Amino acid sequence: MSQADWALALTVLVGLLLRGAGLWLGGALRPDHPVIAWASAVSVATLACFVTLAIAAPAGLLATVPLPARLAGLAGGALAWRLSRGRLLPAMLGGLAALLLARLATG
């Protein structure tokens, strides 16, 4: 086995151990526990960072979409999230629909 194979195997093992620890800890704590609230806040902050980067400095195919269309998608997703009382799937679909409509409108 090469050094790269060992590194990959070790990375997979550590990832699985961390996931298992997270499941064990998450199952042992109440939903209103401060550790769960902290983990939730970190995950929301991470998602917000990715969305901000996708809008401000997109890569790949998204880089071909003009900024006004990306901002329209953000506004559509935020509006759908608000109207659906914080549900993620309607927000994602609303944002995607607004992005596509704005992209078609801008040519």
Side-chain angles (χ1 to χ4, degrees):
M1 229 176 168
S2 72
Q3 217 173 9
D5 291 335
W6 279 108
L8 179 61
L10 183 61
T11 302
V12 168
L13 180 63
V14 169
L16 288 173
L17 287 173
L18 286 173
R19 282 182 176 216
L23 286 172
W24 173 75
L25 184 63
L29 298 176
R30 300 178 322 276
D32 60 342
H33 193 277
V35 171
I36 300 297
W38 174 82
S40 177
V42 168
S43 67
V44 169
T46 303
L47 180 60
C49 180
F50 284 129
V51 169
T52 301
L53 283 173
I55 292 170
L61 191 57
L62 189 58
T64 64
V65 178
L67 179 62
R70 295 191 307 262
L71 292 174
L74 176 64
L79 179 63
W81 180 81
R82 180 79 169 169
L83 292 175
S84 67
R85 298 186 188 125
R87 293 179 53 213
L88 185 59
L89 185 58
M92 290 174 57
L93 294 175
L96 181 60
L99 174 75
L100 292 174
L101 287 174
R103 177 65 175 119
L104 290 174
T106 60

